[in-house]
Amino acid sequence: MKRKNFLIIGILSSLLLLGCASNEKEKVTACAIEFAHDFFNLHFDKAVQNCTSESRKWIEFYASNITEEDMEVIRNFPEAPYVMTADCLQINDSTATVRCIICNTLATDSLEQRKGHIIPERNILIPMWKNGSRWTVRMEGPLQNAR
């Protein structure tokens, strides 16, 4: 009888842990989606609210490379950028990586002094960091394309 109770307690504990892990994945994914939506729609003031303080310089760097011609490209495109899917690829106690497929994003080309263009679909890896109970985006450089 004790063995049966031990087995039931073990199964219930495992299910509870899986539920917690699933809940954390949902939290980290939701934060990444919100950030990606704001970032790729050029709402940088909102995007920075979901980031670590160290990430601010990378958002400012990206924003500083957007020209008036780039803004014209965005205004003339019929559909705003949106997150098609997001998947938490890796998660542990304090870090995670979320892959987002984002549609209709601006590709700037300010170094070549050419007008930016719209990319129909991009796979982006978003590094996440947990500070207390809150997940935030932790940019240590420009966002990277998923491979």
Side-chain angles (χ1 to χ4, degrees):
M1 187 63 148
K2 286 185 180 184
R3 187 175 184 140
K4 184 177 179 182
N5 288 341
F6 183 73
L7 182 61
I8 291 172
I9 290 172
I11 291 171
L12 291 175
S13 297
S14 297
L15 290 174
L16 182 62
L17 287 174
L18 287 174
C20 290
S22 176
N23 190 28
E24 282 300 299
K25 278 189 171 189
E26 289 173 15
K27 285 180 185 179
V28 73
T29 302
C31 180
I33 290 170
E34 184 177 345
F35 166 80
H37 178 268
D38 291 337
F39 183 83
F40 288 103
N41 278 284
L42 309 183
H43 302 295
F44 301 120
D45 55 330
K46 291 181 181 177
V48 80
Q49 293 174 11
N50 282 312
C51 293
T52 62
S53 58
E54 297 85 10
S55 301
R56 183 180 194 92
K57 67 181 174 188
W58 295 107
I59 293 174
E60 290 172 351
F61 172 76
Y62 183 77
S64 71
N65 285 301
I66 295 173
T67 65
E68 185 58 39
E69 289 82 17
D70 294 333
M71 295 301 293
E72 183 181 322
V73 168
I74 290 173
R75 283 191 291 267
N76 292 331
F77 200 75
E79 194 172 12
Y82 64 93
V83 179
M84 186 166 62
T85 63
D87 183 33
C88 184
L89 300 177
Q90 169 270 329
I91 188 170
N92 63 33
D93 291 345
S94 62
T95 63
T97 303
V98 177
R99 181 180 57 88
C100 290
I101 298 175
I102 304 154
C103 299
N104 305 327
T105 62
L106 174 68
T108 61
D109 200 357
S110 60
L111 293 177
E112 296 293 326
Q113 301 298 315
R114 289 185 278 181
K115 188 187 302 185
H117 61 280
I118 299 295
I119 298 176
E121 187 176 296
R122 292 173 70 182
N123 285 310
I124 301 292
L125 293 177
I126 300 178
M128 306 294 292
W129 182 64
K130 190 173 185 181
N131 183 9
S133 63
R134 183 172 181 252
W135 285 98
T136 55
V137 175
R138 185 180 197 176
M139 295 173 67
E140 295 177 339
L143 292 175
Q144 299 293 314
N145 289 325
R147 298 179 203 267

